[in-house]
Amino acid sequence: MTVRIDADDRTGVAVVTLDRPERLNAVDLATAAELASAWRGFRFDDSVRAVVLTGAGERAFSTGLDRDAEVPQPGSPYMLDDPLIGIGPKAAGLWKPVIAAVNGMACGGAFYLLGEADFVIADESATFFDPHTTYGMVSAYESVHLAQRAPFGEVARMALMGTAERVSARRAYEVGLVSEVTARGRSAEAAVRCAAVIASYPPAAVQGTVRALWSAQEATRSAALSQAPHLVALGNLPTEGQAKLFAARGTRFRTR
């Protein structure tokens, strides 16, 4: 299992942990399936009233899609298969509150998850960046998810600067991507504390509020995401070209 679930029946809080620290909690196909299954399961489990999502280890929340994952694609740009499209709670129709707790790196496909959390808490070690353009890939889904949470200019800069810059937890807080910054290693603890408070309230009122909040941006979000598949198909370098750029990657970057 690459997704660990720890549920507390007393508080009504479940903690979902991406448990692949040796791969920086990157999401492979098995992990994607486990996440989708977890969210669907919570829909039917009334003992779980709020959820915390985090990553194992200190180095990363998640670095997105595992580069070793093999995802065969149809030949048409109108039929892109995206293995991450169903990994978030809202994609599974879960309207219970989900709080993301970020430690270390959160980049690329991690934004599918952060984009569908209700709010994000980060520890002071957290950094956020989007490597897609550096490696010849279109940042489509990631940019749409981020644009729902942060000012356009900040999202555009992150998407276009690629691996040259990382956004610190403090900067993420300043622009509204993150709601709280904790001491190193304390983000999950802070998220569980918030989740326990929310879980103590009447569930129907909480879930109705979550649904109302998301309805406020749903039309724009759905329309934007509908453009993503063919933009990715038309704009991405072939896999071989991406691999060459990734192999030649540098390690220098600026944190702001």
Side-chain angles (χ1 to χ4, degrees):
M1 301 292 286
T2 59
V3 174
R4 188 172 72 247
I5 299 173
D6 300 292
D8 186 334
D9 293 337
R10 180 181 57 85
T11 63
V13 175
V15 178
V16 176
T17 304
L18 300 173
D19 197 10
R20 303 185 74 213
E22 73 287 353
R23 297 290 295 177
L24 300 177
N25 297 318
V27 178
D28 61 5
L29 300 187
T31 305
E34 288 177 37
L35 280 167
S37 177
W39 305 131
R40 288 194 299 270
F42 291 145
R43 294 175 68 233
F44 294 92
D45 187 349
D46 291 339
S47 70
V48 173
R49 299 184 295 280
V51 182
V52 171
L53 173 65
T54 192
E58 299 179 352
R59 296 179 62 196
F61 168 79
S62 176
T63 54
L65 181 65
D66 192 318
R67 287 196 61 84
D68 289 342
E70 295 186 8
V71 186
Q73 293 293 337
S76 169
Y78 301 104
M79 294 185 289
L80 179 71
D81 279 346
D82 187 332
L84 301 186
I85 202 165
I87 66 171
K90 305 305 182 289
L94 179 68
W95 301 107
K96 298 179 181 182
V98 176
I99 304 168
V102 177
N103 46 287
M105 293 182 287
C107 65
F111 297 136
Y112 285 70
L113 292 168
L114 298 186
E116 292 197 7
D118 295 296
F119 59 91
V120 180
I121 295 175
D123 80 16
E124 61 189 11
S125 75
T127 57
F128 304 83
F129 62 102
D130 190 346
H132 279 74
T133 54
T134 300
Y135 303 132
M137 295 180 284
V138 175
S139 174
Y141 292 97
E142 296 80 6
S143 291
V144 170
H145 284 303
L146 282 176
Q148 303 295 310
R149 311 197 74 98
F152 179 88
E154 291 292 331
V155 175
R157 179 167 178 162
M158 189 188 301
L160 295 172
M161 289 295 288
T163 60
E165 284 190 348
R166 296 186 183 183
V167 174
S168 67
R170 180 55 53 186
R171 181 60 181 164
Y173 173 77
E174 291 171 351
V175 303
L177 176 60
V178 165
S179 67
E180 179 183 352
V181 178
T182 73
R184 185 181 294 265
R186 305 299 288 271
S187 61
E189 176 185 328
V192 167
R193 186 166 56 246
C194 289
V197 171
I198 297 168
S200 72
Y201 301 151
V206 169
Q207 292 166 29
T209 300
V210 171
R211 192 67 185 89
L213 285 165
W214 283 86
S215 68
Q217 57 187 9
E218 197 163 44
T220 301
R221 181 170 173 268
S222 296
L225 287 173
S226 71
Q227 303 296 316
H230 64 266
L231 293 174
V232 171
L234 293 171
N236 276 15
L237 281 179
T239 303
E240 298 77 10
Q242 295 177 28
K244 287 180 181 178
L245 290 173
F246 188 77
R249 68 192 184 278
T251 57
R252 297 181 62 182
F253 57 87
R254 171 179 179 264
T255 300
R256 64 180 182 90

